Amino acid sequence: MSHVVVAPDKFKGSLTAPQVAAAVARGLREAVPDVDVRCLPVADGGDGTVDAAVAAGFVKVGRWVTGPVGKPVPASFAVRGTTAVVEVASAAGLTLLERPAPLDATSHGVGELLKAALDVGCATIVLGLGGSACTDGGAGMLEALDGASFDGVDLVLASDVDNPLLGPSGAAAVYGPQKGASPEQVDVLEDRLQAFADRVGPEFATRPGAGAAGGIGFAALAVLGARFRPGIEVVLDLVGFADAVADASLVVTGEGSLDAQTRHGKAPYGVVKASGDVPVVAVAGQCSVEPGDLGLKAAYALSDVEPDITRCMVQADSLLTVLGGRIARDWVSQ
C-alpha cells in the first residue's frame, strides 16, 4: 500500500510545523486506520527550520547567546553528523524583543551560534535567515565570530527572500518598517548599510539574498564565502523529502495563510514543485487564492470549519484533525 506524506510549514502564531503534521496525521488515521502516514514537517528557512531538522532526526543543541538587544537568551541549533542547522530567529529574532529596537538590534548571537557549530566540528552549516530583529548588515555576527575560519566549511544561506542589501528593495527599505523603524530610521539604517558595504565588499551588496535577515546575508556572502539557496529547497534536502515522496499516493502540505505570496519562496509551493506527479493538497488557516494557481489539487482551510479567525488559531489542533479526516475521505482509498 502506498503512503501519504504530510509536509506542512508552521501555522504562525498557532502551531509549529511538527504540531500541524501530527494533527493532520491524526485525522487521516482516524478516518482510515490502516493508512501509512509519514510526517515530514518543513520550513522555508525562517523560524521553524531547526524544528524541521530535529523532526527529521537531527539533534538539538542548546546554547546561551547574546540576544538582539544584548541580553543573554537561550538559543539552539541542530546537528546530524557534520551538518548543522542554525536559525537567525533563534538568536536575533523579532520574537525575542519586548519592544522594537530597529536601530540597536544586533546579530551578535548569530555569530555565537555559528561559532558553536564550528566548535563541534560541523563542515556544512545551513543558516536560516528569516525572522530577524536586526538591520546591522551582519556586523554583529562578524564581531562575534572574531575571525573564525570558514575555510573548507560549506555555509548555505536558506531564505524565502532574495532582496539585495541596499535601495528601495533592500533590507532597510522593505523590512525596516516591519521591525519598527520609522521613515527617518529607515534612512539612518540605509546609510549605515551603505557605509558597511563600502567597507566590506560593495560588489556583494547586489547579490540575491544579501538583504535577507537585515543584511546578515550580505556579511555571510562577502566575508564567510557563503552560498545562497531558496530556503524550502534546502530544507527539503535536509529532511529527505525526495526519498519520502517516492511511491507516495498523496502529499499534504500547508501553512497559516495560502495567498499570493505563497508562490514566492514559501514552503507549500516548494513542496508542490518537489512532488513531481504525486498529487498535493494543502491545509491552511485561510486560503485567498485558487488552489490550482499553486499547483494544488485542493486546499482545506480552518476558516471553512470555523469562520471566527481567533477561534481558528486557538483550536487549530482539533480543526486540523477534522481537515485530516476530510482529506482522507476525499483522497485516500479505504
Side-chain angles (χ1 to χ4, degrees):
M1 181 178 177
S2 59
H3 60 277
V4 177
V5 176
V6 181
D9 199 352
K10 63 186 176 297
F11 278 31
K12 194 169 186 177
S14 185
L15 297 175
T16 66
Q19 289 171 331
V20 174
V24 172
R26 186 165 58 245
L28 289 166
R29 293 181 178 120
E30 287 177 0
V32 183
D34 63 346
V35 65
D36 180 2
V37 181
R38 305 182 189 180
C39 290
L40 210 70
V42 299
D44 59 15
D47 51 319
T49 301
V50 166
D51 285 343
V54 170
F58 282 66
V59 175
K60 185 174 284 191
V61 179
R63 290 286 190 276
W64 282 89
V65 302
T66 303
V69 290
K71 298 178 181 177
V73 296
S76 59
F77 60 101
V79 176
R80 183 173 64 190
T82 59
T83 298
V85 180
V86 176
E87 271 181 29
V88 165
S90 179
L94 268 174
T95 58
L96 300 175
L97 295 178
E98 294 180 1
R99 62 185 62 85
L103 295 181
D104 302 321
T106 176
S107 59
H108 196 278
V110 178
E112 292 172 338
L113 281 183
L114 289 175
K115 194 168 188 306
L118 291 175
D119 289 344
V120 298
C122 292
T124 299
I125 302 176
V126 172
L127 179 59
L129 294 178
S132 73
C134 57
T135 313
D136 69 349
M141 174 185 72
L142 296 179
E143 180 183 55
L145 284 169
D146 192 27
S149 175
F150 278 75
D151 293 344
V153 175
D154 184 17
L155 179 59
V156 183
L157 305 182
S159 177
D160 66 342
V161 302
D162 59 3
N163 302 66
L165 180 66
L166 304 167
S169 58
V174 175
Y175 300 108
Q178 298 176 16
K179 301 172 186 183
S182 67
E184 294 77 17
Q185 289 173 324
V186 167
D187 290 341
V188 171
L189 292 169
E190 180 76 9
D191 289 344
R192 288 180 183 177
L193 291 174
Q194 180 70 68
F196 185 59
D198 289 344
R199 188 167 70 253
V200 174
E203 68 274 20
F204 292 94
T206 57
R207 296 275 184 92
I216 289 174
F218 164 75
L221 291 165
V223 180
L224 306 181
R227 59 191 179 95
F228 178 84
R229 288 186 65 198
I232 182 58
E233 294 181 9
V234 176
V235 173
L236 291 176
D237 285 349
L238 284 174
V239 303
F241 183 80
D243 289 338
V245 80
D247 299 323
S249 60
L250 179 70
V251 174
V252 184
T253 188
E255 64 179 348
S257 179
L258 290 171
D259 53 35
Q261 289 301 309
T262 302
R263 287 182 64 95
H264 302 285
K266 299 299 184 182
Y269 192 59
V271 169
V272 168
K273 292 196 296 181
S275 295
D277 296 331
V278 180
V280 183
V281 301
V283 292
Q286 49 191 338
C287 179
S288 60
V289 291
E290 287 297 319
D293 292 344
L294 301 176
L296 296 165
K297 297 299 184 182
Y300 297 76
L302 302 186
S303 58
D304 295 338
V305 182
E306 171 51 72
D308 185 276
I309 298 303
T310 299
R311 283 201 288 271
C312 272
M313 294 186 71
V314 173
Q315 301 171 15
D317 185 82
S318 59
L319 293 173
L320 281 167
T321 299
V322 172
L323 294 184
R326 292 185 179 182
I327 291 169
R329 288 185 285 275
D330 290 347
W331 294 92
V332 180
S333 299
Q334 302 187 47

